[in-house]
Amino acid sequence: MMSFHSAAAQLVTLAAEGEQHGGNHNSLNPALTGGGALFILLLLLWITTRFNRDR
């Protein structure tokens, strides 16, 4: 079994490797991604409240 320390060390190594490559794709716009996520969550909230009219 892998110990917690060795698992943490592997995750740190993986994170350090990701830093070198930038991590973001050029076509990903943070504002558009966040706005889309907010819109989807608000839509799901609206749908949930429409189906829960008995309260």
Side-chain angles (χ1 to χ4, degrees):
M1 250 178 111
M2 193 184 317
S3 71
F4 180 74
H5 180 68
S6 64
Q10 286 181 350
L11 286 175
V12 168
T13 304
L14 184 64
E17 289 175 359
E19 262 182 18
Q20 296 169 357
H21 301 295
N24 288 338
H25 196 272
N26 290 336
S27 67
L28 289 177
N29 183 351
L32 186 61
T33 305
L38 178 63
F39 174 75
I40 291 170
L41 288 171
L42 288 174
L43 179 66
L44 288 173
L45 179 65
W46 182 80
I47 291 170
T48 302
T49 55
R50 297 304 104 195
F51 280 112
N52 202 8
R53 286 186 180 255
D54 58 337
R55 291 186 179 198

